[in-house]
Amino acid sequence: QVHVTESGGGSVQAGGSLRLSCVASEYTIKMAWFRQAPGKEREGVAAINRVGTKKYSDSVKGRFTISRDTAKNTLFLQMNSLKPEDTAMYYCAAASGGSWLVSLSANEYYYWGQGTQVTVSS
C-alpha cells in the first residue's frame, strides 16, 4: 500500500503562482496531478513517469510544470499564471505497477492523496 500526501495549496489572486508537493511512501513508476472543481468531473492535469516523460492537459500547458525527485518519491506541480478556472481540489495520484506510459487517465493510478485546495480569485 502506497500512501500519498499532498501539500502546498492555498488562495492566490489571478496571475499568481503556487507550488504543490506530494510525497509517496514507496516506489512509484508514475505520478500525476488531478483536480476536481465543484459540480465538475475530475480532470487529469499533469503526469510524469519514472524516466521523466511528462504529459499535460491542454488547459494548463505552458502555465504548469510537473517535476519529481525520484530518490525522495516526491512530486511537484509549479502553477504559474493562475486563473479563476484553476480553482479546484488538487489530488496527487501514484502507480507502483502496470504500464510505464505516462497517462492522465485516473484508472491507471491506484493510490490517491486526500487533496489540497487551490483557490484563485479574480
Side-chain angles (χ1 to χ4, degrees):
Q1 181 80 10
V2 178
H3 296 285
V4 177
T5 305
E6 309 97 336
S7 62
S11 297
V12 65
Q13 289 191 327
S17 298
L18 282 173
R19 181 178 170 89
L20 304 183
S21 299
C22 170
V23 178
S25 62
E26 298 180 23
Y27 175 95
T28 61
I29 61 168
K30 60 188 179 189
M31 299 180 75
W33 291 99
F34 290 79
R35 67 185 181 186
Q36 188 167 20
K40 294 188 177 181
E41 293 187 356
R42 182 170 48 189
E43 172 192 16
V45 174
I48 186 169
N49 65 11
R50 198 164 183 86
V51 297
T53 304
K54 304 176 184 180
K55 187 172 186 177
Y56 296 94
S57 68
D58 289 342
S59 61
V60 306
K61 198 172 295 182
R63 300 188 298 121
F64 291 11
T65 302
I66 191 170
S67 61
R68 69 183 295 176
D69 182 334
T70 301
K72 297 181 179 179
N73 290 329
T74 303
L75 181 72
F76 304 100
L77 186 67
Q78 179 65 42
M79 305 184 293
N80 297 330
S81 302
L82 282 161
K83 304 175 181 179
E85 51 263 44
D86 294 318
T87 296
M89 185 71 78
Y90 283 71
Y91 298 92
C92 177
S96 58
S99 171
W100 278 60
L101 292 176
V102 66
S103 170
L104 293 178
S105 176
N107 60 16
E108 294 203 20
Y109 298 88
Y110 315 121
Y111 307 105
W112 293 78
Q114 294 298 307
T116 185
Q117 178 68 37
V118 171
T119 302
V120 185
S121 58
S122 57

